[in-house]
Amino acid sequence: MVKILEQGAWLVDGRHIVEEGPGAERKAAELAGRPVSRDEARKGTIAWSILESHNTSGSMERLKIQFDALTSHDITYVSIIQTARASGLERFPLPYVLTNCHNSLCAVGGTINEDDHLFGLSAARKYGGIYVPAHMAVIHMYMREAMAGCGKMILGSDSHTRYGALGTLAVGEGGGELVKQLLGQTYDIAYPRVVGVYLTGKPCPGVGPQDVALAVIGAVFSRGYVKNSVMEFVGDGVSNLSADYRCGVDVMTTETACLSSIWRTDGNVKDFLAAHGRPDDYRELNPGKTAWYDCMIMVDLSAVKPMIALPFHPSNAMEIERFNENPGDILREVEQSAAEILGNTKARFSLTGKLEKGRLRVDQGIIAGCSGGTYTNVMAAASLLKGKSTGSGEFSLSVYPSSQPVLLELVKNGTITELMTAGAVVRTAFCGPCFGAGDVPASGSLSIRHTTRNFPNREGSKPGEGQIASVALMDARSIAATAANGGLLTPATDLDPAEERWEYRFDDTPYRNRVYSGFGSPVPDTPLVFGPNIADWPEMPPLPEHLLLKVVSFITDPVTTTDELIPSGETASFRSNPLGLAEFTLSRKDPSYVGKAKEVRAFTKALADGKAPGEIAPELEEVFSALEAVPEFGAILGKSVSLASAVYARKPGDGSAREQAASCQRVLGGGANIAEEYATKRYRSNLINWGMIPFVLDGEPPFSAGSWIFVPGVRQAMERGETVFPAYAAGKGSFEKITLETGVLTEDERAVILAGSLINFNRKKTS
């Protein structure tokens, strides 16, 4: 089904794969009919051609990218615009789409949602943006329908910004990277690895895009195989997939931890763009005569079976058929893993109690968002439910079409009638089921969802208060089959589904009547509409000469998600209030974090006010006394040492692009993260853009929660471009020398850290 070539590989004529090894270059040359070189073949990838056309640095080794368009939703756009305003924004220099698909149904926080929406509309008018009202479309469906095109690059402040199936190399990043684009700056990265994904065959009826995606994610994620790489989909199997189907696979590539994705294009993409009124956005994209890939994934689409990703990660994937053969042992393993993840909480997580005569009964089914709510997915689900019933018991099914045009066509052709008759509840376009704000399951429930993620603490769970629900990911087809079977887990292939042949007629009348399209026509005199919860960013200090960090949270989980760093769901109501939102930092993973960070922040202020360590707290007096034995500390007066809090985690940052995972730490006085490695580039970039140092520590940490770490001369070292920082970690009454590293930082990244934040950096540039 999925085969991984561990080394690099040549692709000749788009169909011959030559794996790296003795004689590989000679064989590739024979197939190509001419001499080949790896350096030249690197240029044969689709990714190279798109990156080269958007690069402004003059060097393909160190890219400086300018994008064609930007997009944000209503969890992130207020913060981005506020940051850009503070940095001197005058107008949007490229199309910027503001959608309202994340906070359109939440009722927590009073008028906050609509206050933010009015702010977004006023900003679109003032600066010349595109505003998509609530319930009109989920962010990525609108971008597919209206903005994506072959050879383009799009940057979004949502991690699932993926339009590779339509020939667009799209990247999901934290808001700071969008701010840079709004200010005419660039997206700076080293040229990424490019991983080929070679597709052959054709999916069997009943096997959907989520099944293909989960098969790939399960094979590559835990190995870090495609981390921060571009996944390039090639092979003759691509043409056996509709454009809609490809989009469903493509959006899930985020869960492999890759940087971006791109697909070869053909008549299916041409027809998709033409049907959406944009035929000129099509051009054929294929790898060159010879192309070199840093590694290769081979997928036989005909061998993929219906899949399930068990809690609590999309990579916990297996065939439903295999699961049904031995559900008890498999669920006990999930329960054991959950106990380790949840730690010592009031919540008691159990799934084995849901077994009935050896079959798993689930409580809820959801088909929604950019991955599940597409036209063909909903049509497939409806066809399997036709003439059937979801039942009147605990099991419920909700369907969220991904946009108003998709819903309009489903109404016209009677599909909505079929779904409602079967007992499904049909809702408007909304991303809530993906991040824990829509159809939140009851405590103890298991929900099967065709959405993007199933992380712990994501779907309304509050383990500290005894609440825990869980999500398994599945394709819409198998969710419909399970619904038709009363909630007993059932693969779609058991229902003998027919081959999918549905024509889609896109009608953009809802968009023409409701979407505000102001790009290129800003109205500078428009006043921004500020609700009472929209606040400016507090002042953030520059990097000090010497830094004394207190490790206020110490997390040893294999991976720490952004949902754990700053929970989604109800916390999103405070997204436009930096200090208000910061109160929720690590609230479900480490509830003591906020209080401890604030204590360090208070220590910092007291030192700045001239108080001696002993006057502030006995703890500080002990620390500074121990520091006197450190050679580098001898010539430093206590008042020149600045304090900050730090978080240690083995591998933080998997998941969302939400910059709040970093900014909330910063406004509470955070100065650094320390990690074995960072799960994603976007989280590391978020730390940098908020003025925090992304330290890496090799091996087991010689410190623990509550330890102090002294980094002398940190500012001068950063100014010199050092990547290795000698430091001292507090032990029992003394400090032990350790080595912290940052990896390569660009000149601008160092400047941002030195300035204390991207806001400070840009203010300094314009002053």
Side-chain angles (χ1 to χ4, degrees):
M1 178 169 60
V2 179
K3 179 183 177 182
I4 295 175
L5 304 185
E6 296 290 348
Q7 303 181 75
W10 304 83
L11 180 64
V12 182
D13 289 333
R15 54 195 177 93
H16 300 296
I17 297 172
V18 181
E19 187 176 3
E20 177 68 341
E25 188 169 324
R26 176 181 53 78
K27 184 176 180 181
E30 290 174 356
L31 289 168
R34 60 179 176 80
V36 298
S37 74
R38 186 181 302 179
D39 287 344
E40 191 63 28
R42 285 178 76 205
K43 303 175 184 178
T45 64
I46 304 169
W48 177 284
S49 64
I50 296 176
L51 289 168
E52 183 180 44
S53 67
H54 290 79
N55 180 37
T56 64
S57 73
S59 167
M60 287 297 286
E61 297 306 313
R62 302 298 305 181
L63 303 174
K64 289 182 174 291
I65 300 295
Q66 289 186 327
F67 288 84
D68 297 301
L70 308 176
T71 187
S72 296
H73 50 60
D74 49 349
I75 278 182
T76 56
Y77 67 60
V78 174
S79 172
I80 291 167
I81 293 167
Q82 286 285 73
T83 302
R85 281 183 64 236
S87 305
L89 175 70
E90 294 182 354
R91 65 190 297 274
F92 295 158
L94 71 170
Y96 186 17
V97 176
L98 310 178
T99 68
N100 296 276
C101 50
H102 276 58
N103 292 295
S104 47
L105 289 180
C106 307
V108 178
T111 67
I112 290 173
N113 291 334
E114 288 308 311
D115 290 346
D116 281 4
H117 297 169
L118 287 177
F119 175 90
L121 179 57
S122 67
R125 287 172 173 157
K126 183 178 184 69
Y127 300 116
I130 300 165
Y131 177 87
V132 183
H135 307 288
M136 294 298 294
V138 300
I139 177 173
H140 304 309
M141 195 65 210
Y142 181 83
M143 297 304 289
R144 294 169 189 155
E145 292 170 330
M147 302 298 292
C150 301
K152 292 184 179 181
M153 289 191 71
I154 292 176
L155 180 67
S157 58
D158 182 271
S159 59
H160 292 98
T161 305
R162 293 284 187 272
Y163 318 121
L166 302 178
T168 298
L169 206 155
V171 181
E173 280 282 0
E177 295 301 325
L178 277 77
V179 171
K180 291 177 183 177
Q181 295 288 310
L182 291 174
L183 299 174
Q185 298 163 13
T186 56
Y187 178 70
D188 301 347
I189 55 169
Y191 187 82
R193 294 167 74 247
V194 180
V195 177
V197 184
Y198 194 87
L199 304 183
T200 58
K202 180 180 180 181
C204 299
V207 173
Q210 187 82 323
D211 298 315
V212 176
L214 293 178
V216 173
I217 295 165
V220 305
F221 174 79
S222 63
R223 305 166 62 179
Y225 191 74
V226 299
K227 179 181 175 181
N228 294 334
S229 304
V230 176
M231 297 177 74
E232 183 160 308
F233 289 77
V234 294
D236 56 8
V238 171
S239 292
N240 292 327
L241 307 177
S242 70
D244 219 27
Y245 197 111
R246 297 178 206 181
C247 287
V249 177
D250 185 56
V251 73
M252 291 297 293
T253 60
T254 296
E255 304 313 319
T256 67
C258 74
L259 176 74
S260 185
S261 62
I262 192 68
W263 295 55
R264 54 172 286 258
T265 62
D266 57 14
N268 287 343
V269 175
K270 182 178 183 179
D271 291 345
F272 179 96
L273 293 172
H276 287 79
R278 298 185 291 115
D280 292 344
D281 280 336
Y282 176 76
R283 65 183 174 92
E284 187 174 328
L285 299 176
N286 277 304
K289 175 76 173 177
T290 57
W292 168 263
Y293 295 97
D294 294 284
C295 44
M296 182 76 77
I297 303 167
M298 304 178 71
V299 183
D300 179 1
L301 295 169
S302 64
V304 177
K305 296 182 178 181
M307 303 287 292
I308 181 170
L310 295 164
F312 286 102
H313 198 276
S315 63
N316 295 336
M318 66 177 62
E319 295 172 354
I320 297 176
E321 181 180 86
R322 178 190 153 204
F323 173 85
N324 281 340
E325 290 173 355
N326 186 24
D329 289 343
I330 293 169
L331 291 179
R332 278 185 281 275
E333 290 179 9
V334 174
E335 290 172 348
Q336 182 178 350
S337 175
E340 296 171 1
I341 292 171
L342 297 171
N344 185 23
T345 68
K346 297 178 183 177
R348 292 295 173 262
F349 177 76
S350 174
L351 289 177
T352 50
K354 297 185 180 297
L355 291 176
E356 296 181 9
K357 298 180 180 180
R359 294 287 299 276
L360 176 66
R361 182 175 293 280
V362 300
D363 304 289
Q364 183 191 63
I366 305 290
I367 299 169
C370 55
S371 60
T374 62
Y375 180 74
T376 52
N377 286 336
V378 177
M379 289 293 295
S383 70
L384 290 165
L385 280 168
K386 187 173 183 179
K388 299 182 176 66
S389 168
T390 62
S392 59
E394 288 81 2
F395 181 84
S396 63
L397 175 65
S398 293
V399 179
Y400 296 72
S402 53
S403 72
Q404 198 80 332
V406 168
L407 177 57
L408 182 60
E409 180 64 12
L410 293 169
V411 169
K412 288 178 179 178
N413 67 20
T415 300
I416 296 300
T417 302
E418 295 285 355
L419 288 169
M420 294 175 70
T421 301
V425 176
V426 180
R427 307 188 189 276
T428 53
F430 179 46
C431 295
C434 288
F435 74 95
D439 276 308
V440 174
S443 186
S445 292
L446 173 64
S447 178
I448 52 173
R449 303 190 169 202
H450 192 156
T451 57
T452 54
R453 289 197 172 123
N454 60 339
F455 291 168
N457 303 327
R458 190 171 178 90
E459 303 303 333
S461 298
K462 292 185 177 181
E465 298 179 21
Q467 304 170 33
I468 179 68
S470 55
V471 168
L473 299 182
M474 288 169 47
D475 189 83
R477 294 149 187 80
S478 291
I479 292 173
T482 300
N485 205 8
L488 287 175
L489 186 67
T490 304
T493 48
D494 280 7
L495 270 63
D496 193 26
E499 188 168 341
E500 301 174 5
R501 296 183 183 278
W502 298 297
E503 184 179 354
Y504 175 51
R505 297 174 181 84
F506 174 73
D507 183 349
D508 70 344
T509 304
Y511 290 162
R512 286 187 283 110
N513 286 338
R514 285 293 295 144
V515 172
Y516 177 81
S517 297
F519 175 64
S521 303
V523 186
D525 293 338
T526 303
L528 292 175
V529 179
F530 288 91
N533 191 58
I534 298 176
D536 290 327
W537 290 100
E539 290 295 323
M540 284 161 273
L543 184 68
E545 295 295 332
H546 315 282
L547 189 59
L548 182 58
L549 297 166
K550 184 175 183 180
V551 181
V552 296
S553 188
F554 189 86
I555 304 170
T556 58
D557 294 351
V559 179
T560 303
T561 70
T562 46
D563 275 45
E564 292 170 305
L565 293 164
I566 181 65
S568 57
E570 80 280 4
T571 62
S573 295
F574 297 90
R575 62 198 169 271
S576 306
N577 184 334
L579 293 174
L581 183 62
E583 294 292 326
F584 294 92
T585 313
L586 281 162
S587 58
R588 297 180 188 173
K589 188 67 183 175
D590 184 358
S592 66
Y593 167 81
V594 172
K596 292 177 179 177
K598 285 182 176 180
E599 182 180 56
V600 176
R601 189 176 63 182
F603 289 170
T604 304
K605 185 178 185 306
L607 279 178
D609 290 342
K611 289 188 177 181
E615 296 178 88
I616 300 170
E619 177 185 8
L620 275 190
E621 186 172 30
E622 292 176 12
V623 169
F624 275 82
S625 295
L627 276 172
E628 291 177 2
V630 175
E632 286 89 342
F633 186 71
I636 300 171
L637 297 174
K639 64 182 181 182
S640 69
V641 177
S642 292
L643 275 56
S645 57
V647 170
Y648 172 83
R650 292 193 183 279
K651 190 177 179 182
D654 185 27
S656 172
R658 283 177 290 128
E659 65 187 289
Q660 292 96 326
S663 65
C664 285
Q665 296 176 49
R666 182 60 169 150
V667 300
L668 290 170
N673 274 198
I674 305 172
E676 284 186 8
E677 63 173 303
Y678 291 93
T680 58
K681 175 205 171 293
R682 55 184 173 269
Y683 178 67
R684 182 177 180 271
S685 295
N686 286 339
L687 292 173
I688 293 167
N689 285 329
W690 286 106
M692 290 191 288
I693 306 176
F695 282 132
V696 173
L697 176 70
D698 187 26
E700 289 295 316
F703 53 81
S704 59
S707 294
W708 291 86
I709 298 174
F710 178 51
V711 191
V714 65
R715 185 174 183 88
Q716 287 188 6
M718 186 65 66
E719 289 173 337
R720 292 193 302 267
E722 303 286 349
T723 60
V724 177
F725 294 76
Y728 297 84
K732 295 181 179 178
S734 63
F735 277 79
E736 174 187 343
K737 192 165 186 178
I738 63 172
T739 300
L740 299 174
E741 300 183 30
T742 59
V744 176
L745 293 167
T746 68
E747 184 177 344
D748 279 354
E749 286 175 334
R750 293 198 308 272
V752 168
I753 293 172
L754 288 164
S757 69
L758 183 63
I759 294 174
N760 295 354
F761 169 75
N762 283 312
R763 282 176 177 165
K764 185 176 179 181
K765 284 184 66 174
T766 57
S767 63

